[in-house]
Structures are given as C-alpha cells and as structure tokens.
C-alpha cells in the first residue's frame, strides 16, 4: 500500500513563510518515511484575507504607512518557490473558479480547444534552441507531458472562457516550474530569474498567441502581535498595524464566513495526490478546515488526520464549528485515526479528545517557547515528529 501526506497550513500564512514550513515538513516526513509523497495545500494567497479595496475602510491607511511594497517585490520569488514544489498550484486555483456563463459558442468549445492546445503542443524551433542553450530539452519534454496529462489541467479547462489567456499562461508557468524542478533534481545548475522569465514568456506566447502575465498579486503583510491601546502612536500607524493584523485575524474571520473555498482546495489537493491512502497533516486553522471537510464529506482515501495547534474543539464547544453543532458529533465516516497535538503554552491550541470522544487522541507537547512563538514552533520539535512517526506506523 502506498501512502501520501498532504500538509495544510494555518492562519496568517502566505507564500514566503509557507515555503519555509513546507520544506521542513517535507524533510521530516522523508526522514521518517523515505520515499513517501508529500504534497502541500497553500490556501492563504487565494482564500486568505486581503484588502480587496486597498484598505480604504481604514481611516488614514495610506497616510499612516499601510501597504508593503517590499513584500510586493518579493512575492514573485515566493510564488516561484511554491510552483517548484507544486507546479499545478495555479491551475488548481483556476479549477476552483465557477464555470463561465454559457453563451453562443462558434466552432470548437473553449474547454476542448484549451485541452487540445495543451495536449498537442510542440515547441517551435526557437523555443527548442532556447531550451537547448540551457540544457533543458529533456526536462521540458517530461514536464510538458506531466502537466498536459495532469488532473489540474482537466479541472482548469472547465472554467476557461473564450480567450483563455490566463489559463494558458498558468500552463506555461506550470511547465517551466516542473522543467526547472526536474533539472534541479538531476543536479543541474539553477536558472537565473531573468532567464527563467524569458523562457516563460516564450512558452506563454506560443501557447496563447501573446504573453499575458497573471495579475492580482497578493500583498505579503508584515506580522504584528496585536493592536495596542488607541493612543496617538497607534492612530499614526493604523495602516501598517492593519496590514499586520489582517492575515492572522482576517483569515479566521473569512473562514467563518466563507470557508468553503479552503475546504474545496483541500479536497481537490487530496484528489490530485497519488497513493492508496492519504494522511492529512494540518496546522491551526488548517486543522479546523480539515475537520470540517472530513465531517462534511466522505474522502475514502483519507484514513488518518493529524492536527497541530488546532482550534477545532474550541469552535465546537462555542457552537462555531461549521460541520456540526452540539449535541451532534462527528459522523461515522470521519477517520478513526485522529491525532491532535497541542502545547499548553500555545494559546491557539486546544485539546480535542474529551470533546470528540471516540474520534480524537490528544498528545500534549512542549515547544519550549512562549506564545505566540509556541504556535509555530511545532515543526522543529523532535517530540512532535516522534509522535507523527509512531502515528504513521
């Protein structure tokens, strides 16, 4: 039997911090279970909180230093780091969009045209020459076939509109990311950013007829602990403080109001993950979403759940867990193997065994850190990985 692990991050996480945590999780899983597939589920940029109108609801936002331009510049690097580990990430997000409104279609439907374009694509002589210059021809061919045959492409095809520029550019991005990741795996030197971007532009042009980069970059906010008292100091800095508070608090509020997007992304990631069985490893708010999803839907391949620093039990006691409300409890199809890891010094972690009797098994650990550091210190705690290793057995 082949098992895979899907990692779901928690509240306030965006590309840069996700990449660091996911690298640690993947390294530790491979250490204790060599050869296992480890997939990540990055929901923060697409489903996390952000100022959709640029922060105009916050008095004095622009004047008081709202917005993080440095993070905007760094976002592209962080996005590529995600794609190197998960080339189908942006295609998966496109697949979660609602289908476009049906209209009069002349000729080949957009979905069929898109799939045919991807599956029958052959690089031009100019593109082959560019790939050969970097020693990437074989890596490109392997990546192209993998992306073209992926479930992410098929799902994305269902949401394409008549022009399909964004979808084809996402395909180009996935192929380039998979190409460079494959080259790195065989020991080739990394390609510099400008050369990578030139390769992407050339491939996107050939796929779509013109190169249109994805728009709408997600701003990377700077974290801060909490709002201080309403003094002149905080008023003068209200914009930057709002930026800092938004990912952590906003993600929780957004999930309570519109959590179906995160749950759907987790479900789709599981569907696209190989293996006979899947273990969900979920942190913080990701653990809440995982519990909700597994209670609301039967995912037969998911037979193990590990939540770390999660608030699912608290939300149930408060009547705020989406999946069920007291006196109802988790359904029979919920995985029987649920390990809930918590640290008493982590004020965002809660015990679950007494709340979900017969389902959850608690493990108390000590990360050796005060709050809020304790909430993100699980991944470097050997006690946590010893427990996960035993649980995976």
């Amino acid at each position: 039997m082949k098992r895979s692990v899907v990692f779901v991050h928690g509240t306030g996480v965006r590309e840069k911090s996700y990449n660091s945590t996911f690298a640690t999780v993947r390294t530790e899983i491979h250490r204790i279970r060599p050869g296992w597939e480890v997939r990540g589920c990055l929901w923060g940029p697409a489903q996390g909180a952000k100022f959709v109108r640029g922060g105009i609801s916050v008095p004095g936002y622009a004047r008081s230093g709202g917005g993080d331009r440095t993070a905007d510049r760094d976002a592209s690097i962080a996005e590529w780091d995600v794609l190197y580990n998960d080339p189908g990430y942006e295609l998966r997000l496109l697949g979660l969009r609602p289908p476009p409104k049906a209209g009069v279609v002349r000729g080949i439907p957009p979905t069929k045209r898109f799939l045919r374009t991807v599956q029958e694509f052959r690089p031009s002589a100019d593109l082959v020459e560019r790939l050969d210059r970097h020693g990437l021809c074989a890596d490109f061919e392997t990546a192209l076939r993998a992306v073209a045959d992926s479930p992410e492409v098929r799902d994305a095809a269902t949401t394409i509109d008549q022009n399909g520029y964004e979808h084809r550019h996402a395909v180009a991005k996935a192929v380039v990311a998979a190409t460079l990741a494959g080259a790195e795996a065989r020991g080739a030197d990394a390609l510099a950013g400008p050369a990578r971007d030139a390769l992407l532009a050339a491939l996107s042009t050939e796929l779509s007829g013109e190169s249109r980069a994805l728009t709408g970059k997600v701003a990377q906010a700077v974290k801060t602990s909490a709002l201080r008292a309403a003094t002149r100091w905080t008023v003068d800095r209200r914009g930057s403080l709002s930026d800092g508070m938004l990912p952590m608090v906003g993600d929780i509020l957004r999930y309570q109001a519109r959590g179906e997007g995160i749950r759907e992304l987790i479900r789709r990631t599981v569907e696209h993950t190989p293996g006979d069985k899947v273990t969900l490893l979920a942190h913080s708010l990701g653990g809440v979403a995982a519990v909700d999803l597994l209670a609301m839907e039967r995912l037969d391949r998911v037979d193990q759940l590990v939540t770390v620093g999660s608030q699912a039990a608290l939300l149930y006691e408060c009547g705020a867990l989406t999946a069920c409300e007291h006196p109802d409890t988790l359904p029979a199809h919920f995985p029987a193997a649920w390990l809930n890891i918590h640290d008493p010094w982590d004020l965002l972690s809660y015990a679950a065994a007494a709340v979900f009797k017969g389902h959850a098994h608690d493990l108390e650990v000590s990360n050796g850190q005060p709050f809020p550091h304790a909430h993100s210190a699980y991944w470097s705690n050997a006690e946590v990985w010893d427990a996960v290793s035993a649980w995976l057995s």
Side-chain angles (χ1 to χ4, degrees), residues 113-131:
R113 186 167 64 246
F114 169 70
L115 290 174
R116 179 181 297 178
T117 296
V118 175
Q119 292 165 355
E120 297 180 359
F121 176 78
R122 293 296 179 271
S124 68
D126 289 341
L127 183 53
V128 170
E129 191 277 331
R130 184 186 295 273
L131 290 164

Side-chain angles (χ1 to χ4, degrees), residues 79-133:
E79 288 165 0
W80 276 106
D81 202 6
V82 172
L83 287 166
Y84 293 145
N85 290 308
D86 184 5
Y89 170 65
E90 289 188 353
L91 287 167
R92 193 176 303 123
L93 294 182
L94 291 175
L96 293 174
R97 289 183 177 179
K101 293 182 179 179
V104 178
V105 178
R106 297 179 180 178
I108 303 173
T111 295
K112 187 174 293 186
R113 186 167 64 246
F114 169 70
L115 290 174
R116 179 181 297 178
T117 296
V118 175
Q119 292 165 355
E120 297 180 359
F121 176 78
R122 293 296 179 271
S124 68
D126 289 341
L127 183 53
V128 170
E129 191 277 331
R130 184 186 295 273
L131 290 164
D132 187 56
R133 193 187 316 155

Side-chain angles (χ1 to χ4, degrees), residues 80 90-91 94 114 117-118 121-124 126-127 130-131 140 144 163-177 179 195-215:
W80 276 106
E90 289 188 353
L91 287 167
L94 291 175
F114 169 70
T117 296
V118 175
F121 176 78
R122 293 296 179 271
S124 68
D126 289 341
L127 183 53
R130 184 186 295 273
L131 290 164
F140 178 85
L144 178 62
N163 60 59
Y165 294 120
E166 189 173 2
H167 287 62
R168 285 192 287 271
H169 188 77
V171 169
K173 228 172 178 182
V175 172
V176 170
T179 298
R196 177 204 59 212
D197 295 343
L199 179 61
L200 172 63
L203 176 57
S204 184
T205 297
E206 293 191 11
L207 277 170
S208 64
E210 65 178 285
S211 179
R212 292 192 179 186
L214 289 174
T215 59

Side-chain angles (χ1 to χ4, degrees), residues 29 31-33 281 304 306-308 339-342 361-365 381-393:
I29 293 293
R31 179 182 62 81
I32 61 180
R33 292 294 183 275
L281 173 62
Q304 291 182 337
V306 180
T307 54
V308 180
L339 174 64
N340 179 65
I341 300 175
H342 65 99
H361 305 265
D362 285 333
L363 175 67
E364 181 180 307
V365 301
N381 187 344
E383 187 180 1
V384 169
W385 290 112
D386 287 345
V388 170
S389 179
W391 194 256
L392 293 177
S393 300

Side-chain angles (χ1 to χ4, degrees), residues 325-350:
E325 183 179 5
H326 183 78
D328 296 332
T329 188
L330 300 174
H333 68 252
F334 194 92
W338 174 12
L339 174 64
N340 179 65
I341 300 175
H342 65 99
D343 178 353
W345 283 92
D346 173 13
L347 302 184
L348 291 177
S349 72
Y350 295 86

Side-chain angles (χ1 to χ4, degrees), residues 258-274:
R258 294 178 178 83
E260 63 276 2
I262 299 177
R263 294 192 295 273
E264 176 64 12
L265 186 53
I266 297 173
R267 183 179 67 80
R268 197 69 61 91
T269 303
V270 169
E271 289 177 353
H272 294 167
T273 298

